[in-house]
Amino acid sequence: MSMWDKHDKMSFPAHVHILLILECAVCVCCLAYLFLAGAVGAVKRTWAVILCGCVLLAAMGFLIYQLQQARLNRSNFERDSLLLAMQKAYPTAIMLNLTRNTYRYFPSADFVTRPMPRTGSYTVLVDQTAPDVYSAYRDAFYDFFSRQALMERFAQGETTLSFEQRHLGTDHLYHWVIQYVYKVDSPYSSDVQAILLARNNDEARADAEKLRVALEDKDRELTDVYSSLTNGIVKVAKRKDYPVIFANPAFYSMIGYTKEQFEDECYGYLSYITFAQDGREGGKGFEALSPGMYTSGRYRIVRRDGGLLWVRYDATINVLEENVYYVMFTDISAAVQNEQRLMEQQYYRDLADVRVSGCTVIYPVKGNGEPLYVGGNIYSLFGYTPEEFKLLCREKYQSFVYAEDYAFVLARQDEALAQNLERFQIEFRVHRKDGKVIWVMNQASRAAGYDGELVYVCMYIDVTVQHMREDEAISKMERDALTGVLIRTAFEADVSALLQQPDDGRQHALIMLDIDDFKRINDSQGHCAGDEALRAIVGALHKTLRSDDLIGRLGGDEFMVLIRDIRDAQTLADRCSTLCSNIADVSVGGHHVTASIGAICFTTGDAATSFNALYACMDTAMYEAKRNGKNGYCIYSEALYNNWQL
């Protein structure tokens, strides 16, 4: 028996019934006795007392009866009121006893269900109801409402179940029906019992559809507005990783994804495109929001191409949608870069020790060589603006450094990096913007950069004057005092340095000349005339040779010439012939001066070739010219060597 069956059969307790019956019997007896006693005129006092007691008991019993009746009426009224209210909300109400597989149906004016017995088998009820369920929901209806399914779900701890489906009504139309099943714990039985409530949900469905259409129209209007904005507008769900519900085209353009790519590669999650070092701020700043509040912040977004984009977000929660954020993203990359650039330049400005005599340039220890900071006085030293100098270092640094010093500069810098030097100093030549070549000293010291990476703070100082003085002193030491050409040691050093260079396919030449009968000039006209003859011969050499050819005096009346990059032996022969002619034009005290010349062609990169070896070959060729009558030249060859050996 169900709880509701027990409640329907509730009545007065048994002792109340017995008391009422006894009271009625006593009252009847007393009345009968009084009638008989009165008739004979023998009323006694004792019986009068008994009569009064009986009347009192009868009155008390009547009072108890009225109170119990009122209590019962109230209980029935409350039950009926509850049932009436429940039936208004849920016209269909069925009490289930799943253990006994029975049900009790409370009839109502519900059009959804077909007429059914008030009680019966629950399994039969499900089978009879299923054909009225719309076919698309029929299998789910069986899976949900079967006796076994309900008992299993209750056994798992569930106490409230709900299901919505379409059901055929008495008007032969399908209607939306929402059904709830509540587990009932009865104090009268250990059976598994439940109550099933159902009601028509067409109106709620219609209202929801109207609301959905209205929201779609509103969203469509908002979408049109959002699509015209250049800022990224995003609607984000308040869930893990913040899935994007809606985003305008500007947002997808900002992050470099199409909508499909974002959903496929990032699963539509806002936090998946947040730069990891920013702690996934894509959402963190939203967490403290409550309806009506507003928050703002900035972090970096990782674009699809891997680039980083600084954005500012302005977020709020709609008062009507507490689980949805509305966020506007603004690209602030340029502003952040300018801000960081200003802070960085201020840091390096403070780090740089700018002096009047030079300028400060700060380079990264590791990088492409582009300066991080260039002092404003770079213009007075090199003629470049700071921006031009940065571009020059990045693209044309090799053309900025003097060609012969470039390899030396790179080697010195690599050495400083390899040895992890705190400080180093280097001097080299550079081209100013106006083309002038100057000497600079680079005094470099290591320091921590703005971002923590190591940098070199380099002080460039113009040392051109010092080098000019040094070059002048060296020149005086290396030059012959009488003729101004190189002395033997200096000339030999330059030739030896050239021989050590790798073979680049070019050919060079050495020429040795000796003045014919120079002793006779000294003996006949004096040493002053001899000195004049030597100076005249050097003048003839300068007249014949190029400006970058080297001339050296080996001693006495013997000279040597280095000609770089000569085309072939014929060109050398023409040059020697011209030398002989120009020297023959020299006249000292009416005496024409002549010279005998020996020459040789050579290439660099051969370890077996030395200055002394070339000197021996030229000497052989020169004596061959003297043997042939002087005032001539001879170019060394293997045939000449073999002839002299014989």
Side-chain angles (χ1 to χ4, degrees):
M1 182 179 294
S2 70
M3 180 185 69
W4 284 26
D5 291 336
K6 288 179 177 291
H7 187 72
D8 284 343
K9 294 185 177 182
M10 269 186 163
S11 186
F12 303 118
H15 67 279
V16 176
H17 286 279
I18 296 172
L19 180 60
L20 290 175
I21 293 172
L22 290 175
E23 286 179 345
C24 292
V26 170
C27 288
V28 171
C29 292
C30 289
L31 290 174
Y33 173 76
L34 289 174
F35 176 77
L36 294 175
V40 296
V43 179
K44 295 183 179 180
R45 185 174 181 179
T46 303
W47 291 108
V49 174
I50 294 174
L51 179 60
C52 291
C54 290
V55 172
L56 180 59
L57 289 174
M60 291 179 63
F62 180 75
L63 179 60
I64 293 173
Y65 173 80
Q66 291 297 326
L67 291 175
Q68 188 71 6
Q69 187 66 33
R71 176 185 171 190
L72 181 61
N73 290 339
R74 181 176 180 180
S75 177
N76 290 337
F77 174 76
E78 290 177 351
R79 186 196 68 175
D80 293 341
S81 299
L82 178 60
L83 289 175
L84 181 61
M86 188 173 65
Q87 287 180 354
K88 286 184 178 180
Y90 296 94
T92 299
I94 304 175
M95 189 66 192
L96 308 178
N97 189 321
L98 298 175
T99 302
R100 301 186 183 188
N101 193 23
T102 60
Y103 75 90
R104 184 180 181 190
Y105 170 59
F106 296 91
S108 65
D110 187 7
F111 70 93
V112 173
T113 58
R114 64 172 67 188
M116 66 180 70
R118 185 164 181 175
T119 61
S121 168
Y122 176 66
T123 302
V124 174
L125 175 65
V126 173
D127 292 338
Q128 290 177 347
T129 306
D132 292 340
V133 178
Y134 191 67
S135 58
Y137 299 91
R138 198 165 295 158
D139 291 340
F141 177 82
Y142 269 116
D143 293 340
F144 185 89
F145 284 105
S146 69
R147 173 172 170 262
Q148 186 64 30
L150 292 178
M151 292 187 70
E152 288 179 356
R153 296 181 71 172
F154 287 154
Q156 293 172 0
E158 297 185 60
T159 58
T160 303
L161 310 174
S162 63
F163 183 75
E164 188 175 15
Q165 41 92 0
R166 297 181 67 189
H167 200 102
L168 186 65
T170 56
D171 56 0
H172 304 291
L173 297 176
Y174 281 100
H175 301 272
W176 282 101
V177 177
I178 187 167
Q179 296 158 309
Y180 297 95
V181 180
Y182 299 95
K183 186 175 182 295
V184 176
D185 294 325
S186 172
Y188 304 101
S189 174
S190 61
D191 293 347
V192 179
Q193 300 182 59
I195 181 171
L196 187 153
L197 303 176
R199 64 176 171 81
N200 183 293
N201 206 38
D202 285 343
E203 185 176 348
R205 275 276 183 167
D207 292 342
E209 181 64 19
K210 290 179 182 178
L211 180 60
R212 185 188 65 81
V213 173
L215 290 176
E216 285 184 353
D217 293 340
K218 192 68 176 177
D219 284 345
R220 193 175 298 109
E221 293 177 7
L222 291 175
T223 301
D224 294 339
V225 174
Y226 293 155
S227 299
S228 64
L229 298 177
T230 57
N231 296 79
I233 305 296
V234 183
K235 185 177 180 182
V236 184
K238 188 179 181 181
R239 296 203 306 272
K240 182 181 179 181
D241 289 323
Y242 299 93
V244 173
I245 301 172
F246 163 81
N248 68 340
F251 173 75
Y252 291 115
S253 176
M254 186 181 295
I255 64 177
Y257 290 86
T258 64
K259 180 179 179 182
E260 293 73 19
Q261 290 170 340
F262 181 68
E263 292 176 351
D264 181 51
E265 299 175 21
C266 303
Y267 307 102
Y269 292 145
L270 184 64
S271 58
Y272 274 47
I273 60 172
T274 303
F275 187 47
Q277 292 184 8
D278 291 346
R280 293 205 170 194
E281 283 294 331
K284 272 199 170 182
F286 312 156
E287 294 174 355
L289 281 175
S290 59
M293 289 185 61
Y294 161 85
T295 187
S296 180
R298 69 181 187 179
Y299 64 94
R300 283 169 289 185
I301 282 179
V302 181
R303 289 173 45 87
R304 188 169 187 263
D305 58 10
L308 294 179
L309 182 72
W310 274 102
V311 296
R312 187 188 75 237
Y313 66 84
D314 299 280
T316 187
I317 293 184
N318 193 308
V319 176
L320 300 178
E321 298 178 282
E322 295 187 11
N323 292 323
V324 176
Y325 299 114
Y326 289 85
V327 189
M328 180 175 71
F329 288 100
T330 305
D331 183 356
I332 59 170
S333 295
V336 172
Q337 289 176 1
N338 289 335
E339 176 185 324
Q340 291 179 340
R341 189 178 299 111
L342 290 174
M343 294 176 65
E344 180 179 345
Q345 291 303 302
Q346 183 60 47
Y347 174 84
Y348 289 129
R349 193 174 293 111
D350 295 339
L351 184 64
D353 180 19
V354 182
R355 302 177 185 176
V356 177
S357 59
C359 67
T360 302
V361 181
I362 299 179
Y363 298 93
V365 172
K366 298 178 182 178
N368 59 2
E370 181 179 355
L372 298 170
Y373 170 82
V374 179
N377 52 352
I378 194 80
Y379 182 80
S380 60
L381 182 60
F382 297 128
Y384 295 99
T385 64
E387 291 72 20
E388 290 174 336
F389 188 77
K390 285 185 178 182
L391 183 64
L392 182 69
C393 291
R394 184 173 68 243
E395 298 181 357
K396 298 179 180 180
Y397 187 69
Q398 186 170 357
S399 64
F400 170 67
V401 179
Y402 194 69
E404 294 183 3
D405 296 345
Y406 185 72
F408 165 71
V409 171
L410 291 184
R412 181 65 176 132
Q413 291 177 349
D414 292 342
E415 179 186 356
L417 289 175
Q419 297 180 6
N420 201 24
L421 297 178
E422 293 284 345
R423 292 179 176 81
F424 70 92
Q425 179 174 304
I426 183 174
E427 295 183 14
F428 55 94
R429 288 166 290 183
V430 298
H431 297 278
R432 283 175 46 90
K433 188 177 180 179
D434 57 10
K436 182 180 178 181
V437 178
I438 63 173
W439 278 91
V440 294
M441 176 190 293
N442 178 11
Q443 295 177 339
S445 59
R446 200 169 63 184
Y450 176 75
D451 55 0
E453 296 292 334
L454 292 178
V455 298
Y456 273 124
V457 182
C458 299
M459 179 68 67
Y460 288 100
I461 302 174
D462 187 352
V463 293
T464 304
V465 175
Q466 292 90 318
H467 273 270
M468 290 177 63
R469 291 172 180 171
E470 291 175 3
D471 291 343
E472 183 178 354
I474 293 173
S475 178
K476 289 180 179 180
M477 293 175 60
E478 294 181 347
R479 297 285 174 175
D480 177 55
L482 177 64
T483 60
V485 300
L486 294 174
I487 62 175
R488 178 177 182 134
T489 55
F491 185 86
E492 182 178 346
D494 288 344
V495 174
S496 298
L498 178 62
L499 290 172
Q500 293 176 4
Q501 294 182 6
D503 185 7
D504 56 2
R506 295 186 300 170
Q507 189 172 234
H508 312 284
L510 278 175
I511 297 175
M512 177 189 288
L513 60 90
D514 183 82
I515 299 176
D516 296 329
D517 303 321
F518 183 70
K519 186 175 182 301
R520 189 179 61 180
I521 297 175
N522 280 333
D523 293 343
S524 62
Q525 300 185 29
H527 288 283
C528 290
D531 292 344
E532 181 181 350
L534 294 176
R535 286 192 291 268
I537 289 176
V538 170
L541 291 176
H542 282 302
K543 181 180 178 181
T544 306
L545 302 175
R546 298 172 301 187
S547 59
D548 58 344
D549 292 338
L550 293 182
I551 304 174
R553 183 182 178 189
L554 303 185
D557 61 343
E558 191 175 62
F559 294 88
M560 189 175 287
V561 176
L562 170 64
I563 302 176
R564 294 187 180 90
D565 194 16
I566 195 165
R567 184 179 304 170
D568 50 30
Q570 183 59 47
T571 303
L572 177 59
D574 295 340
R575 191 70 58 85
C576 292
S577 177
T578 303
L579 274 175
C580 288
S581 300
N582 290 339
I583 292 173
D585 292 337
V586 175
S587 176
V588 178
H591 178 78
H592 287 280
V593 180
T594 62
S596 297
I597 297 175
I600 185 173
C601 290
F602 68 94
T603 58
T604 60
D606 187 357
T609 304
S610 64
F611 176 82
N612 291 332
L614 294 175
Y615 181 89
C617 295
M618 287 185 296
D619 190 58
T620 299
M622 184 192 67
Y623 278 104
E624 178 67 17
K626 284 186 178 291
R627 195 171 65 174
N628 292 335
K630 302 179 181 180
N631 191 25
Y633 67 91
C634 178
I635 298 176
Y636 180 82
S637 64
E638 291 294 332
L640 176 62
Y641 174 78
N642 294 331
N643 187 37
W644 272 82
Q645 291 296 319
L646 294 175

